[in-house]
Structure formats: structure tokens, C-alpha cells
Amino acid sequence: MTAIESFTGDANPYQGGDPYADYRTADFPFTHHADLADRRLGAGVIAANDEFFAQRENLLLPERAEFDPEHFGHKGKIMDGWETRRRRGVSADHPWPADGDHDWALIRLGAPGIVRGIVVDTAHFRGNYPQAVSVEGTCVPGSPSPEELLGDDVKWTTLVPRTAVGGHAANGFAVSVEQRFTHLRLKQHPDGGIARLRVYGEVVPDPAWLRALGTFDVVALENGGQVEDASNLFYSPATNTIQPGRSRKMDDGWETRRRRDRGNDWIQYRLVEQSLIRAIEIDTAYLKGNSAGWASVSVKDGESGDWVEILPRTRLQPDTNHRFVLPEPAAGTHARVDIYPDGGISRLRLHGTLTETGAARLTARHQELGG
């Protein structure tokens, strides 16, 4: 684990105006990965030892934290995050928390995987943030209860050691542990508040589950697909196109800036593994005056393979889910969608099955990572 850029100490008290004007942040190199703690993937904060001032569920809200200086309740200031009460010592002679005192929250990742980086965001917690944080991970199959996860037989691996953090800041940590994790334990030492938690990484699916499904979406984020690159990310991230479910609003898809040249925009994907694609869906839900005009889909097999077009340039309609059955299955490890000339799509679905080679490689990787 390596801290990319550290922020420590209190932020200045809020002086009015834009509360983010003095927010401390940095460009973290791991944020191009998917957020494994995304609620859209099924992530959740399943338990916490204390949430006196603000609920644990706020940690995974997709929007950035908001601040209302006038928002108070019967317990005190209401914050948009997870905030615990102030810890105290054991007596008047020792009123301070012990060195090992901490509060904790258990997070179920929406999709199990390798964690590449973590952001512990203390936005708006200027003088009431934790002195330090730490994060641990474990891999437990099924749907364990909080009591089971806290049992003595569960092994936890340190992802972020106890590290000092700053108030009103995005505290980022790179993680280099090559293991598959299903749950995290976030600790704040000794107490305080955290606005948001982001867990960036690579999905590592269960091969037995995919084998049982037979035909499934081989580019879906929850199944292990990922975006490798895109021509333009001006309005929204390309990863939105492989999120679960249909888009519910315009910015829940991928939209590019308006082109003023003769080019086109595109996204390149890595499939879960080598697959046979049999059907394609291109959805433009909620993209009404800004959907792509036309789209094509190509695949290649291996990093050095040649791109082969499997869906020729086809007219798209606004706010419509388009379905195409391929005349023959198309084998590949990567896919690319080209849109013409610009605009956006909300989702891409590539329905298919793993090849024998793809299934074998996926199973081997799952075992290597402790799945």
C-alpha cells in the first residue's frame, strides 16, 4: 500500500460561500477503475458499531457530500456522511480515548474483486474527522451476516494501515494486495466522521456462477467486464455503459462533447474472458436530442488480434433499446463500440458464453486470487 498524496490536520472553519472552495483533493491514478462499492452493483454498509450523528449508509451515496450549515437535529449537527459520537476515556484521571479505540463499519462490495485504490473522503468534516483511518478486507462466500464476518474464524487482510488523514479532504490510498475481496472493514481512530468511501478495483467474478448462467452479458461490469479506453469523457464516464440495469436519467449513460470534425467517438472494452458473442443490445435510454446517430461493434481476440466488425454501422433511435441477433457467434476477448459522429449511448450488452479456453483461464485466476 502506498499513500499517493496525504492531507492531515483540520480544515478552516466554514466561512460561507462555496463549501468546496477550500476542499483538498488530488488526481489519484487508480480512479479509472470501477467503484466496487457502488450501490448500483449491490454494495452496502451492512453494520457499524456507532452512527450517533449520521447514518452509515451515507458512505456509499453516489453524489458528492452536501453541506447545510443550518441543518441541525435533536442530536446535533446533521452531516452528510457517517459520524460517530465522541469517545471518552475510562475515568476523570484518564479522560482520553485509549490508543486502540476506534469505530468501524462493515461494507459489502457490490462485486467481489481486486482493490486497486481507496478514497476516504472527509468532505465537510473540518474539525470532527477521524485522526486516522485503516481498511481491511476479507473474502467470504455467500451472504454472511455481520456477526459471521466479525467471528474469530474470519481472516482480515490489511489494505490501508492506520494512517493519519485530514479534514475536508479526499484521502487516497493505492492498494497493492493481489487478492479477491468480498467485504471491507473501515475503521476510524478513535472516532469522528467520514463523508464517502470509494473502493476502486477490478471485478473478479465467480466462475461457477457464470457457468451456471450459461449465456450472460460478457461485458457487464458485475460479470468482470471493464472499460479500457474511450475517445471522450466530457459529460459522463464510459463505465456507465456496462453498469447494471437500464439508465434512469441522461447522465447515467455515456455522452461526448459535440464534434466539429469528420471523426467519431468510441469505447474499448475488455470482456470477462474469451467469449462467443451471440446477441447485442445498444440502449440510448434518456438520450433524446443527444443520442448517437449510428453505431457499430467490433471484437478482437487477444491483445494483438485484428478488429473484426460484427455489427455494421447501424442507425440508432433516441431513447430506445436496440437488439441485434448475430448470424454467427463472434469470438473475442475485447470489444469496441464506435458511435457516429458523436453523442451518447446509455448501455451496451454483449450476450454470449465463455469459450472453454476463457472458462479455464477465468477459473485459474479465481483460484490464484483466493476465491
Side-chain angles (χ1 to χ4, degrees):
M1 193 287 304
T2 303
I4 300 298
E5 184 170 347
S6 61
F7 303 102
T8 56
D10 293 349
N12 292 325
Y14 176 63
Q15 301 293 326
D18 179 6
Y20 275 101
D22 59 342
Y23 177 67
R24 296 177 286 177
T25 188
D27 291 327
F28 302 119
F30 46 74
T31 55
H32 66 283
H33 291 290
D35 182 4
L36 303 182
D38 193 324
R39 284 288 298 169
R40 290 175 294 180
L41 285 175
V45 186
I46 61 175
N49 72 305
D50 187 291
E51 46 188 326
F52 185 85
F53 288 113
Q55 294 76 26
R56 65 182 190 261
E57 288 86 358
N58 291 336
L59 283 171
L60 304 188
L61 292 177
E63 302 83 9
R64 71 176 186 172
E66 297 181 353
F67 180 71
D68 181 352
E70 305 299 327
H71 197 192
F72 286 84
H74 65 278
K75 290 184 179 180
K77 182 72 183 72
I78 296 176
M79 297 293 290
D80 185 6
W82 168 50
E83 185 180 7
T84 65
R85 73 191 76 201
R86 298 186 187 221
R87 282 184 172 269
R88 297 295 185 237
V90 296
S91 68
D93 292 333
H94 298 280
W96 309 279
D99 184 62
D101 285 351
H102 65 271
D103 292 318
W104 54 263
L106 292 178
I107 294 92
R108 178 190 65 244
L109 297 180
I114 304 171
V115 177
R116 298 301 186 193
I118 294 173
V119 174
V120 179
D121 189 352
T122 58
H124 314 305
F125 289 95
R126 295 169 176 269
N128 51 346
Y129 61 94
Q131 180 185 39
V133 300
S134 60
V135 184
E136 301 165 303
T138 189
C139 183
V140 179
S143 303
S145 67
E147 292 75 20
E148 290 170 325
L149 289 169
L150 295 173
D152 294 336
D153 58 333
V154 174
K155 177 184 177 183
W156 290 89
T157 300
T158 298
L159 304 184
V160 178
R162 181 171 173 170
T163 306
V165 295
H168 197 42
N171 300 278
F173 307 91
V175 178
S176 58
V177 180
E178 289 291 322
Q179 289 181 244
R180 179 180 186 264
F181 296 103
T182 59
H183 296 77
L184 300 187
R185 180 162 59 188
L186 170 65
K187 295 180 179 179
Q188 47 178 338
H189 308 264
D191 54 41
I194 297 169
R196 298 289 188 265
L197 177 71
R198 305 295 186 230
V199 183
Y200 298 98
E202 302 170 24
V203 176
V204 180
D206 182 353
W209 176 252
L210 297 183
R211 188 164 53 247
L213 292 179
T215 298
F216 60 93
D217 183 359
V218 298
V219 75
L221 183 61
E222 60 189 316
N223 294 333
Q226 57 185 288
V227 170
E228 289 193 324
D229 200 3
S231 61
N232 187 273
L233 303 172
F234 189 82
Y235 286 112
S236 45
T239 303
N240 281 352
T241 60
I242 54 175
Q243 289 281 2
R246 294 198 71 197
S247 172
R248 297 186 177 182
K249 52 194 175 103
M250 190 174 71
D251 66 350
D252 190 21
W254 170 63
E255 182 189 357
T256 70
R257 72 180 76 205
R258 299 187 188 213
R259 277 190 171 268
R260 302 307 188 200
D261 59 20
R262 294 290 184 177
N264 75 284
D265 289 313
W266 51 267
I267 307 175
Q268 181 175 316
Y269 306 88
R270 177 185 290 274
L271 308 184
V272 55
E273 247 299 345
Q274 187 187 63
S275 305
L276 289 173
I277 300 169
R278 293 182 168 84
I280 298 172
E281 289 184 72
I282 301 176
D283 196 352
T284 59
Y286 291 95
L287 295 163
K288 298 180 179 181
N290 49 356
S291 66
W294 291 261
S296 64
V297 178
S298 303
V299 299
K300 71 174 183 177
D301 194 20
E303 295 289 348
S304 59
D306 296 325
W307 288 106
V308 177
E309 190 175 72
I310 61 173
L311 179 70
R313 194 179 304 187
T314 302
R315 189 72 167 97
L316 300 182
Q317 300 299 321
D319 196 25
T320 300
N321 191 27
H322 309 76
R323 292 179 172 177
F324 310 95
V325 177
L326 300 183
E328 297 290 339
T333 56
H334 296 72
R336 173 180 166 128
V337 58
D338 284 84
I339 63 171
Y340 302 87
D342 56 22
I345 61 174
S346 60
R347 297 289 188 270
L348 175 72
R349 305 297 187 207
L350 302 178
H351 301 287
T353 56
L354 292 172
T355 64
E356 290 186 8
T357 298
R361 290 197 298 230
L362 190 66
T363 299
R365 183 168 185 254
H366 186 261
Q367 294 172 345
E368 289 171 2
L369 295 172

